């Protein structure tokens, strides 16, 4: 399958604001606490994600099968469950751990010098293995304590708080942070006119 162009619906555009490939991959399912928004509706969308995430093995779009798509969605949910459990100080679901470990054990993308950034025998599988390995490294490493969930109740994006004070509340100021500022301003304006 070839990659698809950027979707006409801006809500289906991939947010790359997580700070880690595994968190950006988890964001391919948006609005988890409301009506979930599937950003990987088909194989072309997954191929496009690999390209936009810079996990494509060459200049051509990654060939993605229906099985790759199904496995990618299962991996995505396992990574989400694993990260959320560990963030909460809970024991992760053994099925999530097993799935992430199994995918991480596969051959991943091999870095290259030159025009091609990566090489792989099975580019789709290798890209998923790279995402799974990133999740393992995140969960086992010191950066996990800096992973947060956006405080916008309609957003469920996880992100690595790289701010100096570690007080970041929103996935992005351009997205949820700006919406919160506008809502706060309107609320204060209404209170001032009624008070």
């Amino acid at each position: 399958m070839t990659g698809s162009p950027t979707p006409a619906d801006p809500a289906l555009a991939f947010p790359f604001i997580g700070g880690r490939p595994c968190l950006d991959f988890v964001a391919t399912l948006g609005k988890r606490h409301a009506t979930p928004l599937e950003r990987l509706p088909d194989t072309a969308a997954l191929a496009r994600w690999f390209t936009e995430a810079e996990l494509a093995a060459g200049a051509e779009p990654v060939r993605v099968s229906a099985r790759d798509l199904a496995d990618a969605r299962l991996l995505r949910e396992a990574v989400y469950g694993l990260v959320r459990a560990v963030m909460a100080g809970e024991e992760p679901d053994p099925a999530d751990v097993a799935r992430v470990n199994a995918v991480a054990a596969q051959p991943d993308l091999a870095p290259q010098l030159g025009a091609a950034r990566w090489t792989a025998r099975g580019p789709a599988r290798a890209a998923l293995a790279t995402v799974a390995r990133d999740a393992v490294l995140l969960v086992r490493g010191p950066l996990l304590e800096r992973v947060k969930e956006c405080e916008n109740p309609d957003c469920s994006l996880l992100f690595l708080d790289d701010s100096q004070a570690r007080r970041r509340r929103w996935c992005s100021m351009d997205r949820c942070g700006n919406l919160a500022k506008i809502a706060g301003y309107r609320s204060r304006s209404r209170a001032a006119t009624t008070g």
Side-chain angles (χ1 to χ4, degrees):
M1 284 241 138
T2 60
S4 63
T6 302
D9 182 353
L12 295 178
F14 301 124
F16 290 98
I17 53 181
R20 294 292 291 244
C22 64
L23 299 179
D24 289 334
F25 190 61
V26 164
T28 61
L29 183 67
K31 301 187 180 209
R32 290 173 180 272
H33 308 310
T35 303
L37 175 63
E38 179 60 76
R39 293 185 177 105
L40 296 177
D42 53 33
T43 57
L46 179 56
R48 185 171 54 82
W49 188 86
F50 289 145
T51 299
E52 291 182 23
E54 298 182 355
L55 294 177
E60 294 296 313
V62 176
R63 290 183 143 302
V64 176
S65 69
R67 181 176 174 207
D68 294 333
L69 177 62
D71 290 346
R73 288 177 178 164
L74 290 172
L75 174 64
R76 175 186 65 196
E77 296 315 300
V79 169
Y80 177 75
L82 174 67
V83 171
R84 291 292 298 158
V86 177
M87 283 173 62
E90 299 169 359
E91 201 59 39
D93 183 329
D96 290 343
V97 172
R99 181 168 305 280
V100 171
N101 281 340
V103 177
Q106 307 268 331
D108 67 345
L109 295 169
Q112 300 290 292
L113 296 173
R117 185 174 178 175
W118 307 102
T119 188
R121 277 198 186 152
R125 296 274 165 196
L128 292 176
T130 299
V131 168
R133 286 183 185 194
D134 183 59
V136 170
L137 293 172
L138 178 63
V139 168
R140 288 194 166 252
L143 294 179
L144 182 68
E145 65 188 32
R146 292 174 34 196
V147 176
K148 296 181 180 177
E149 183 176 51
C150 183
E151 288 187 17
N152 178 347
D154 293 331
C155 183
S156 61
L157 294 181
L158 299 176
F159 62 89
L160 186 65
D161 182 358
D162 56 2
S163 67
Q164 204 164 11
R166 306 286 185 258
R167 292 190 186 141
R168 187 170 150 198
R169 300 171 53 203
W170 316 110
C171 61
S172 164
M173 280 309 293
D174 293 340
R175 294 170 57 102
C176 296
N178 192 43
L179 294 174
K181 285 171 79 174
I182 291 168
Y185 172 78
R186 288 182 180 158
S187 176
R188 287 188 301 277
S189 294
R190 277 193 297 271
T193 58
T194 59

